[in-house]
Amino acid sequence: MRHIAFIPLLIIMLLTSGCTQNNGEIDPWFGTWRLESLTCDGEPSDDYHGQMTWSFQNNIICLVTDLGHHSYTQTWGTWAAPEGERKLLLDFDQHDDINGTNVYTPPSWLGFDGLQPTLTIVSQSSREMTLKLDNTTGSYLYCLKKIY
């Protein structure tokens, strides 16, 4: 008799379990991606040493730079990838009265031209993606690998 009472309880638990992705499905973007390599005009960037992750959730992006010794910086912005286009639109043109604009300004060594760069999606899967940015300072290639 105990086993029969357990079955409805199990069904209720399964039906009420929550989603881990707020505001719907954004795959393959959702999660945290490590910037595996950064090149400018085909040459590895002298300023990048494998210390950055990009996290996507809903329409928010957070770029985290590991500075070593348990120290890091975060850069916050918004993003969009219009359906049918091979573009990633980033927007770091945010500000507030408390923190100024530092938490919204990406590191200069990323090569973003301004606070609203548009990157071309060269390739994308659920585990890896390559993005490209052409601007006046060069042609940048960002290779990212999903870590979780």
Side-chain angles (χ1 to χ4, degrees):
M1 189 66 172
R2 283 186 170 169
H3 291 69
I4 294 173
F6 180 72
I7 293 173
L9 180 62
L10 180 63
I11 292 172
I12 289 170
M13 287 175 34
L14 290 173
L15 291 175
T16 59
S17 61
C19 177
T20 61
Q21 298 182 21
N22 292 339
N23 296 322
E25 185 70 35
I26 60 169
D27 273 343
W29 298 98
F30 180 81
T32 301
W33 300 74
R34 181 183 4 260
L35 182 58
E36 293 286 315
S37 67
L38 170 61
T39 61
C40 179
D41 296 327
E43 297 294 322
S45 171
D46 293 333
D47 297 321
Y48 184 65
H49 306 288
Q51 74 277 21
M52 177 174 267
T53 59
W54 298 21
S55 296
F56 296 86
Q57 183 166 355
N58 193 10
N59 68 335
I60 304 296
I61 184 170
C62 178
L63 308 179
V64 178
T65 306
D66 183 355
L67 303 174
H69 305 290
H70 308 289
S71 184
Y72 61 91
T73 62
Q74 293 179 317
T75 303
W76 295 91
T78 58
W79 69 276
E83 196 168 327
E85 296 182 34
R86 305 236 1 119
K87 302 284 182 196
L88 174 62
L89 312 174
L90 301 177
D91 186 355
F92 298 101
D93 192 17
Q94 327 295 326
H95 56 83
D96 62 35
D97 295 329
I98 297 170
N99 296 316
T101 59
N102 291 340
V103 296
Y104 304 107
T105 304
S108 60
W109 49 262
L110 280 173
F112 294 166
D113 50 345
L115 297 176
Q116 297 177 319
T118 298
L119 287 77
T120 302
I121 302 167
V122 177
S123 65
Q124 183 179 31
S125 72
S126 61
R127 305 302 300 160
E128 296 179 334
M129 75 174 137
T130 303
L131 306 170
K132 184 177 181 181
L133 174 67
D134 292 315
N135 62 29
T136 58
T137 60
S139 179
Y140 292 85
L141 202 61
Y142 310 86
C143 296
L144 297 107
K145 186 172 188 177
K146 194 170 198 174
I147 54 176
Y148 57 87

